[in-house]
């Protein structure tokens, strides 16, 4: 593979080198969080975390562990930068993103450090493209202070049961209301739109409900415009965990299996809408 | 009203909603003793559809407690864009929905549509409705000279050859054959149009009756929904029509449901101007010598090609037995008057027919009872109705055995 013929000497100048035989493992996950142009990349020896935020109320994180990459070399404890996510995705799909089986785009992502662009070497069918994307000073991602000890309600649902509900959500509703309770209706999604309201109820004993751990009845509303982008992550995932804490903050965690069967995670944190009780 | 549909019926119900959405932007829900009727009419009032589901269609059907005012059940009007999304994906309904419950809640002004799905999941939709008079068309299909009964797929297969954008087609019937061809208004660039015509021998039909040779032109788009429904349910389609200018009625039925689409047809192309003479086919009435054709378009902002196209209709006699009249008509939604004679005596009025500024007249007739005093030029009497508000459902049923209401 042409990418591997680069001299080892080159590698020493990079603080981060990450290679994938199939760039789609990265691009698919990134598409699930591309609702804003800019993304914060944080790489640690554990892997890569990509963060996108919206209006200080919503944060999406995609985690791709080091084991997913064919090569993952990092020379510092934490490497961070910010790039235009739309441009990055365009580059990852530069060969047209064909779905012909057996043909995939190989990726070698290299970063020299602060001030340097992110360099992508992409190869498909013997053709190599080099892309250099300017990086910016990484912003500090918001800490939503969401910790497991504060979680009041948690459910894990099989994504297939939620996919339909999310795709049907009444978009004329400004909010999506989530009710979680140890008693009826257990888990309910509600919308309040122009033609009326709608409720989607998932009982605790449904076969789609893998885990049901609700300690108290909570109803929270979240801006529909913030949560609607999570539909993409839902579509990719096989399971989703929904948690709310005592403040009403929402955490959605999606388990995504890539083409090779490996597991990545996408999570969304969302603040409740101001008008709630 | 409260009813419960099981699995497959939910899909059929959804298909009916799809077909009705091709007609108009609003959906009328009319629960009756003989079943639940879903109706729609287009804004130009040149197309009307009704799907009537008999109580047998449902796993459970009840009209609920009779209100103090009488045997009135609530009639609702819903926005199509509120209802259609609930039934949009029929394959997913087929896969997931086990039962569907539809009920009308008067205190909260809501229609509640609840889907009980697999895995214990429940989807509840509370839709606000507008209370409304029933929309109902009365079309005397038994009086139509021409009848065709086509096997389920035949018409669907024929119209498949026309592009989806094709607005209108012309159906011609002679004692030997039936043909369908596309219709273009004169003035279009003939070089760019593709003409399609297909003919069928009358033997292809399950049944035919050729009363008059006729060419009728009507809107295809509004019909496609019904044809698709017929195909899905393998139901033959009956077509009742007459000369150009009279409405055409397409209907399907089986043990538990009846569906009808009534479309206005273009008047014969020889006629010009708004003041036209149209043949009346009612056997018993005096002819209206000079009949006005009231343009539909003047009332509606988005009138289409049927501007100036009347749907010639017959009024079904009221229980008082006033004569049948057949003035040239446009489809109107008119509440039944307490004084049927106001509508039933066209003779003098017809003779002095003049075109009127239809807008004020039409709009004033919509959904309001006709008063016995006519307005200044008596045109109220002459305005015929295709669809009218039927107050006395029971009376209609006993007197109109020959004239099915839709």
């Amino acid at each position: 593979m042409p990418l591997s013929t680069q001299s080892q000497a080159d590698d020493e100048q990079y603080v981060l080198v990450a290679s994938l035989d199939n760039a789609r493992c990265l691009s698919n996950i990134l598409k699930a969080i591309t609702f804003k142009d800019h993304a914060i990349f944080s790489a640690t020896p554990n892997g890569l975390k990509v963060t996108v935020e919206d209006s200080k109320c919503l944060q999406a994180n995609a985690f791709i562990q080091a084991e997913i990459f064919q090569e993952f070399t990092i020379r510092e404890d934490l490497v961070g930068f910010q790039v235009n996510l739309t441009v990055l995705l365009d580059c990852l799909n530069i060969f047209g993103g064909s779905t012909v089986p057996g043909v995939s785009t190989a990726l070698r992502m290299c970063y020299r450090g602060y001030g340097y662009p992110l360099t992508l070497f992409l190869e498909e069918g013997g053709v190599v493209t080099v892309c250099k994307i300017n990086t910016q000073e990484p912003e500090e991602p918001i800490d939503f202070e969401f910790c497991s000890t504060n979680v009041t309600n948690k459910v894990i649902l099989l994504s297939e049961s939620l996919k339909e509900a999310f795709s049907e959500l009444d978009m004329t509703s400004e909010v999506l209301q989530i009710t979680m309770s140890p008693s009826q209706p257990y888990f309910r999604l509600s919308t309040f739109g122009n033609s009326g309201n709608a409720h989607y109820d998932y009982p605790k004993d449904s076969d789609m409900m893998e885990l049901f751990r609700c300690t108290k009845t909570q109803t929270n509303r979240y801006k529909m415009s913030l949560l609607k982008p999570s539909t993409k992550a839902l579509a990719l995932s096989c399971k989703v965990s929904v948690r709310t804490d005592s403040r009403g903050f929402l955490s959605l965690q999606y388990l995504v299996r890539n083409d090779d069967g490996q597991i990545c995670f996408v999570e969304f944190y969302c603040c409740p809408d101001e008008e709630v009780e | 009203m409260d009813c419960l549909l099981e699995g497959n019926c939910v899909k059929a119900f959804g298909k009916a909603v799809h077909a009705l959405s091709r007609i108009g932007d609003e959906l009328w829900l009319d629960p009756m003793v003989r079943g639940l009727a879903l109706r729609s009419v287009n804004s130009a009032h040149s197309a009307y559809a009704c799907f009537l589901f008999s109580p047998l269609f449902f796993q459970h059907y009840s009209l609920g407690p009779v209100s103090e005012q009488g045997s009135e059940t609530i009639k609702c009007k819903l926005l199509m864009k509120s209802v259609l999304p609930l039934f949009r994906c029929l394959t997913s309904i087929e896969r997931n929905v086990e039962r569907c419950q539809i009920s009308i809640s008067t205190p909260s002004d809501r229609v509640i549509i609840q889907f009980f799905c697999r895995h214990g999941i429940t989807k509840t939709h509370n839709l606000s409705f507008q209370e409304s008079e029933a929309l109902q068309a009365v079309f005397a299909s038994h009086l139509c000279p021409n009848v065709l009964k086509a096997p389920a797929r035949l018409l669907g297969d024929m119209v498949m050859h026309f592009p989806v954008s094709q607005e209108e087609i012309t159906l011609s019937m002679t004692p030997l054959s039936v043909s369908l061809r596309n219709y273009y208004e004169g003035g279009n660039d003939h070089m760019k149009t593709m003409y399609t015509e297909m003919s069928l021998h009358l033997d292809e039909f399950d049944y035919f009756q050729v009363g008059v040779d006729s060419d009728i032109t009507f809107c295809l788009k509004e019909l496609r929904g019904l044809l698709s429904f017929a195909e899905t349910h393998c139901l033959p389609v009956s077509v009742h029509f007459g000369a150009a200018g009279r409405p055409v009625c397409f209907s399907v039925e089986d043990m538990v449901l009846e569906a009808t689409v009534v479309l206005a047809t273009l008047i014969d192309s020889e006629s010009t101007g708004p003041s036209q003479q149209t043949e009346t086919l009612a056997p018993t009435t005096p002819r209206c010598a000079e009949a006005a054709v009231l343009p539909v378009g003047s009332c509606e902002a988005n009138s289409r090609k049927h501007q100036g196209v009347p749907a010639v209709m017959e009024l079904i006699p009221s229980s008082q037995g006033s004569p049948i009249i057949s003035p040239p008509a446009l489809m109107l939604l008119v509440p039944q008057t307490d004084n049927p004679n106001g509508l039933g005596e066209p003779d003098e009025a017809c003779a002095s027919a003049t075109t009127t500024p239809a807008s004020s007249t039409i709009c004033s007739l919509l959904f309001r009872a006709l008063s016995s005093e006519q307005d200044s030029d008596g045109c109220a009497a002459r305005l015929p109705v295709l669809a009218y508000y039927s107050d006395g459902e029971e009376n209609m049923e006993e007197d109109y055995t020959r004239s099915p209401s839709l």
Side-chain angles (χ1 to χ4, degrees), chain B residues 221-270:
Chain B
K221 280 185 181 176
E222 286 157 348
L223 179 60
R224 283 189 194 267
L226 181 75
L227 295 182
S228 167
F229 186 91
E231 217 167 312
T232 313
H233 290 86
C234 302
L235 295 172
V237 181
S238 299
V239 191
H240 290 87
F241 58 106
R246 297 186 61 86
V248 54
C249 173
F250 294 85
S251 57
V252 298
E253 64 177 1
D254 76 2
M255 299 286 291
V256 293
L257 62 87
E258 295 164 27
T260 317
V261 171
V262 182
L263 301 173
T265 63
L266 280 182
I267 267 188
D268 228 343
S269 48
E270 286 88 79

Side-chain angles (χ1 to χ4, degrees), chain B residues 10 19 25 51 62 64 89 102 117 129 146 150 173 199 209 253 271 275 287 314 320 349 393 395 397-398 404:
Chain B
V10 184
D25 294 331
F51 279 74
S62 82
C89 185
I102 303 177
C117 306
F129 67 81
N146 294 349
M173 189 179 197
S199 303
Q209 175 183 304
E253 64 177 1
S271 326
S275 189
R287 294 197 162 220
E314 291 163 356
Q320 277 83 1
E393 184 77 42
N395 289 340
E397 299 212 0
E398 56 192 299

